[in-house]
Amino acid sequence: MGVPMLPPIAKVVPKPMSVHGDTRVDDYFWLRDRNDPDTIAYLKAENQHTAEKLRHTEPLQKQLYDEMLGRIQQTDAEVPLKREDYYYYARTEEGKQYQIFCRRHGSEDGPEEILLDGNVMGEGKEYFRVGSFAVSPNHKLLAYSVDFTGDETYTIRVKNLETGELLPDEIPNTYYTLEWANDNATFFYTVLDAALRPYQVWRHHLGAGENILVYHETDERFTVEINRTRSEAFVLICSDSPVTSEVRALDANDANGEFIPILPRVQDIEYEVTHHSDSSGPGTRPAGSWFIRTNDGAKTFRVVTAPVANPSKENWKEVLSAREGVTIESITAFREYMVTEERNKGLVEVRVRHLPTGAEHMIAFPEPAYSLEIGPMAEFDTKILRYRYTSLVTPMSVFDYDMETRAAELKKQQAVLGGYDPSQYQSERVYVTAASQPKADGAPGAPVQVPVSIVYKKGFVRNGQAPLLLYGYGSYGISIDATFAPERLSLLDRGWAFAIAHIRGGSDVGRLWQDDGKMLQKRHTFTDFIACAEYLIANKYTSPKRLAINGRSAGGLLMGAVINLRPDLFGAVVAGVPFVDSLNTALDSTLPLTIGEYEEFGNPADPKFYHYMKSYAPYENVEAKEYPAMLITAGLNDPRVSYWEPAKWTAKLRRMKTDDNILLLKTNMGSGHFGASGRYEHLKETALEYAFLLDLMKETA
């Protein structure tokens, strides 16, 4: 089959729009109309084209899928999460797509009780995902939510765990977070506005005919979520924009009470709270202190305490000060301990403070690059800190750390079947010099050192002949730390290297790293990635024709920007649900996420932001030149990056590019931003992407 017919340029062309003196016409605007039969026909034609072009790789796809599946312990269970006398966990069974949610009473060896079976609930559905999962304080009721389309709009249901009965309570159009009050009859949840922004918090009494609005976030930059303190004393409403936050607290014993702000909202001031008290649990009157992590007076954050009765600034007491080069990323309070996650030189460190004595120690981690995450935990009166640790060569490992004895117990390590031996693989961390934009006075910006994490199988030869997959993201302050992926072994065992570029725009090197890759510094994200690619080529890890790159969502924005800037550096691109029509999206405030992203990318109503965003927006900057081979994916129901962004980008690339390199668009017609929901279908998607890359690199060998 040849190239699919290009969508007609002039089918539905909006009136020319003048923005800051720049006249704009979007040739492929009509693809935004999913109700137009021609739109669906075009997406299906692209899918057929992709299938035909990759048909010869189907045996390789099957081989890769079998390899990946063969490394997974298909029947498996999580480490149980202790909450009072119950142990909650999820498990999987061989041949079944979805998790089964369970608990045991009394001990980890008690009789199993199945709470939800995702395989029963998702049977016959093209897509299925559980969102909220909240058990009532008395463990008798389960409030949960489900999504059957991938648009991340969830419906809440309630199950009586004593009888197995599904209660008549049903609430549509909700988002992820949900928390119970201590009366075991009331919970709070968030709903979505027309732009799919979680903007309201509602109170639901079981069996009540009418729900009650308790908070409405009117500022469209902000989203809301519900949390509950580990002490069980408070339910929290957290209202956040990219640079400002506000927290409201409700006594969890007073289900009909009012949520009161802990600290007033101040533009550009962020804070989060954790509650500490000498007494805790349902029925306990709230007292004690707030531990507050804030950037008020500290760009990289500090920790203060304040009494619950009056947490205003005049009552603050600093307990952990800000330090240059170290960002405090989270804070957790237990009865006797305070735990902070801190990012230092690109790596997470954990500080443990014994509150009665003030004694502190750090938890050490052995590898040059790794990922660490505190939790999950439900207990407040405990000396055990649970964390999850992984690296490029170490499978995900769950540890219980005794904060008193400082001993770590490995509770479970992800099983990798097929004889995986981590000693046969090598990881390293290198630093790449990248330039910064000139300062406002024209002086050159200071160069920075961008970390790159690399892994390969021992025996890898740096002669410029090996294929390498370079991954990047670089937005929203999201850190892409070094993690293990068993499917990646299918590349490493074939002589590939894999690398992560920890570029500005993420928080990989701390908060200031994020700030230096957003707004009018956004181009640093792209130039950092290019500098990393140049380093890997110059140091003979790979060569341009053997260098493949991958990014999803805002990482897809990265992919589109760097191939416009330096298409000669890359041999292949996999762009997942890419945010490539970024300027047009920013100009349409009715779309999901747009207004909230003004503090990440800038508001194009301001001419300086408009022209800066236009200078790098991938769709705007497609030119008549050669581009690498590309596989682009989309989700028809995606609420984060609308399907038309990758579709329009593909259409424009088809019309403009001057090379014969393969260009493929694959739209999942029944899912959203995260692709297939079933674990086996997800593996098939990965196998297809790997087959695309392996087939290309075979031709360039």
Side-chain angles (χ1 to χ4, degrees):
M1 176 184 178
V3 174
M5 182 178 296
L6 284 172
I9 293 176
K11 179 177 178 180
V12 179
V13 176
K15 293 181 180 179
M17 176 175 62
S18 180
V19 183
H20 306 306
D22 180 23
T23 301
R24 303 177 51 75
V25 176
D26 186 359
D27 292 336
Y28 298 111
F29 179 85
W30 69 272
L31 279 168
R32 287 177 46 141
D33 185 2
R34 64 183 294 163
N35 296 316
D36 184 340
D38 287 346
T39 297
I40 300 301
Y42 172 69
L43 297 176
K44 289 181 175 179
E46 284 282 7
N47 280 352
Q48 183 181 357
H49 174 65
T50 296
E52 291 294 334
K53 287 295 185 182
L54 294 181
R55 193 169 306 283
H56 70 285
T57 71
E58 288 180 355
L60 177 58
Q61 291 181 46
K62 177 65 165 56
Q63 179 185 355
L64 290 165
Y65 174 79
D66 289 344
E67 286 178 11
M68 295 172 187
L69 188 61
R71 297 189 190 101
I72 296 174
Q73 186 167 303
Q74 297 184 58
T75 298
D76 202 3
E78 297 175 343
V79 179
L81 175 68
K82 184 179 185 299
R83 188 178 139 197
E84 296 165 344
D85 291 332
Y86 286 87
Y87 296 81
Y88 291 87
Y89 61 97
R91 61 179 177 84
T92 55
E93 292 182 357
E94 183 171 351
K96 295 184 178 180
Q97 294 274 16
Y98 300 110
Q99 290 184 315
I100 302 167
F101 298 87
C102 310
R103 71 179 179 185
R104 300 180 190 270
H105 185 239
S107 74
E108 294 186 26
D109 299 321
E112 180 179 83
E113 178 184 356
I114 294 178
L115 309 182
L116 293 178
D117 187 338
N119 302 288
V120 174
M121 300 169 70
E123 186 175 2
K125 306 291 186 182
E126 191 169 357
Y127 186 94
F128 168 77
R129 193 175 297 274
V130 173
S132 298
F133 185 93
V135 177
S136 61
N138 64 5
H139 302 273
K140 294 181 179 181
L141 297 165
L142 168 64
Y144 67 93
S145 64
V146 290
D147 170 17
F148 291 114
T149 67
D151 66 357
E152 299 181 65
T153 301
Y154 288 84
T155 297
I156 295 173
R157 300 301 309 269
V158 182
K159 183 178 181 179
N160 184 321
L161 296 180
E162 293 185 310
T163 66
E165 173 192 11
L166 199 61
L167 303 186
D169 306 72
E170 185 172 0
I171 308 171
N173 192 43
T174 69
Y175 208 50
Y176 289 100
T177 54
L178 181 156
E179 295 291 349
W180 289 87
N182 285 339
D183 65 355
N184 299 293
T186 307
F187 61 77
F188 301 89
Y189 63 92
T190 56
V191 302
L192 299 162
D193 67 9
L196 303 182
R197 174 179 68 101
Y199 78 121
Q200 290 179 339
V201 177
W202 290 71
R203 176 189 291 119
H204 177 75
H205 294 288
L206 293 178
E210 184 176 352
N211 298 328
I212 299 170
L213 177 66
V214 297
Y215 180 67
H216 181 173
E217 179 54 72
T218 59
D219 191 327
E220 293 179 277
R221 298 172 301 162
F222 286 74
T223 61
V224 294
E225 65 177 33
I226 305 292
N227 289 318
R228 182 182 169 94
T229 61
R230 184 175 290 104
S231 66
E232 300 183 307
F234 292 96
V235 178
L236 306 177
I237 296 176
C238 303
S239 194
D240 296 283
S241 82
V243 298
T244 307
S245 57
E246 185 177 40
V247 182
R248 289 170 164 77
L250 169 74
D251 180 346
N253 295 319
D254 184 10
N256 294 310
E258 181 182 358
F259 284 87
I260 305 298
I262 294 176
L263 295 168
R265 181 178 305 184
V266 178
Q267 178 65 30
D268 297 323
I269 297 298
E270 300 173 66
Y271 71 93
E272 65 170 310
V273 303
T274 186
H275 177 240
H276 180 263
S277 176
D278 291 333
S279 58
S280 64
T284 301
R285 183 175 180 178
S289 302
W290 296 114
F291 282 32
I292 305 171
R293 183 187 76 101
T294 180
N295 67 346
D296 189 350
K299 289 185 178 180
T300 57
F301 292 85
R302 59 182 174 136
V303 178
V304 301
T305 61
V308 166
N310 184 3
S312 55
K313 287 182 67 173
E314 60 266 22
N315 292 322
W316 285 9
K317 178 182 178 182
E318 186 170 273
V319 295
L320 185 59
S321 61
R323 284 143 294 148
E324 185 177 356
V326 178
T327 296
I328 302 172
E329 293 198 321
S330 76
I331 179 170
T332 304
F334 300 90
R335 169 91 33 93
E336 293 188 12
Y337 294 91
M338 178 185 79
V339 176
T340 53
E341 285 181 277
E342 304 173 21
R343 189 168 292 269
N344 185 6
K345 298 179 181 177
L347 295 173
V348 175
E349 301 175 337
V350 177
R351 179 186 303 271
V352 178
R353 173 178 290 191
H354 185 236
L355 294 173
T357 64
E360 290 185 345
H361 69 274
M362 306 296 290
I363 304 177
F365 304 99
E367 296 178 89
Y370 57 83
S371 175
L372 182 123
E373 180 182 354
I374 297 295
M377 296 168 294
E379 300 286 282
F380 178 74
D381 188 7
T382 179
K383 294 180 172 64
I384 301 300
L385 173 71
R386 176 165 291 177
Y387 62 83
R388 301 196 297 173
Y389 175 92
T390 180
S391 75
L392 291 171
V393 298
T394 302
M396 180 61 73
S397 306
V398 179
F399 288 89
D400 277 357
Y401 179 82
D402 189 313
M403 293 182 281
E404 182 176 43
T405 67
R406 306 187 185 184
E409 177 189 1
L410 176 63
K411 301 293 291 184
K412 181 183 179 66
Q413 185 173 85
Q414 175 188 9
V416 184
L417 307 183
Y420 172 67
D421 180 0
S423 69
Q424 296 302 306
Y425 300 84
Q426 179 69 45
S427 70
E428 58 179 287
R429 193 174 182 90
V430 299
Y431 292 86
V432 176
T433 301
S436 293
Q437 292 178 189
K439 297 179 180 179
D441 61 3
V448 299
Q449 296 295 303
V450 180
V452 180
S453 299
I454 310 170
V455 64
Y456 43 79
K457 193 168 187 178
K458 288 181 178 177
F460 179 86
V461 179
R462 283 170 49 184
N463 59 7
Q465 300 302 307
L468 184 148
L469 178 59
L470 176 62
Y471 181 83
Y473 188 77
S475 289
Y476 307 115
I478 295 173
S479 299
I480 306 298
D481 291 322
T483 59
F484 182 81
E487 62 269 20
R488 193 183 298 143
L489 298 175
S490 289
L491 294 181
L492 303 185
D493 289 349
R494 287 174 169 83
W496 284 60
F498 173 80
I500 302 169
H502 302 284
I503 50 184
R504 282 176 282 185
S507 290
D508 305 56
V509 188
R511 182 52 182 269
L512 300 183
W513 201 248
Q514 173 189 356
D515 294 344
D516 207 20
K518 61 187 285 190
M519 304 293 276
L520 295 175
Q521 305 293 319
K522 186 61 194 171
R523 291 179 70 91
H524 285 158
T525 301
F526 317 131
T527 54
D528 282 1
F529 190 85
I530 288 170
C532 293
E534 291 175 329
Y535 176 94
L536 293 168
I537 292 167
N539 287 273
K540 299 190 180 300
Y541 287 91
T542 190
S543 62
K545 288 189 177 297
R546 308 281 278 164
L547 176 57
I549 57 175
N550 176 222
R552 286 183 53 85
S553 192
L557 165 66
L558 170 69
M559 297 296 102
V562 299
I563 65 168
N564 281 334
L565 292 168
R566 289 294 307 276
D568 58 300
L569 277 180
F570 313 110
V573 182
V574 176
V577 290
F579 180 39
V580 284
D581 196 20
S582 51
L583 181 58
N584 283 321
T585 293
L587 288 166
D588 187 347
S589 61
T590 67
L591 294 176
L593 306 182
T594 290
I595 292 177
E597 293 191 338
Y598 288 165
E599 292 177 326
E600 173 73 22
F601 298 102
N603 185 346
D606 184 330
K608 68 175 179 293
F609 283 111
Y610 172 83
H611 291 291
Y612 187 74
M613 295 168 73
K614 186 180 179 183
S615 75
Y616 66 75
Y619 182 67
E620 305 296 324
N621 289 284
V622 173
E623 297 176 328
K625 60 186 178 186
E626 293 188 359
Y627 283 91
M630 300 180 66
L631 171 61
I632 302 165
T633 67
L636 185 63
N637 300 325
D638 191 339
R640 299 177 184 238
V641 177
S642 301
Y643 72 88
W644 63 74
E645 295 205 25
K648 289 169 55 180
W649 186 44
T650 302
K652 190 171 183 179
L653 281 164
R654 284 208 191 283
R655 187 177 93 236
M656 299 288 290
K657 72 190 193 81
T658 60
D659 58 84
D660 294 325
N661 293 327
I662 191 169
L663 172 61
L664 303 176
L665 171 66
K666 185 177 188 298
T667 303
N668 190 321
M669 306 299 283
S671 75
H673 194 67
F674 302 108
S677 57
R679 57 178 179 154
Y680 297 111
E681 295 305 311
H682 178 73
L683 279 184
K684 289 177 182 177
E685 292 181 345
T686 303
L688 182 144
E689 293 177 4
Y690 280 15
F692 168 78
L693 293 173
L694 288 165
D695 185 61
L696 280 174
M697 293 306 168
K698 176 187 66 179
E699 295 179 3
T700 62

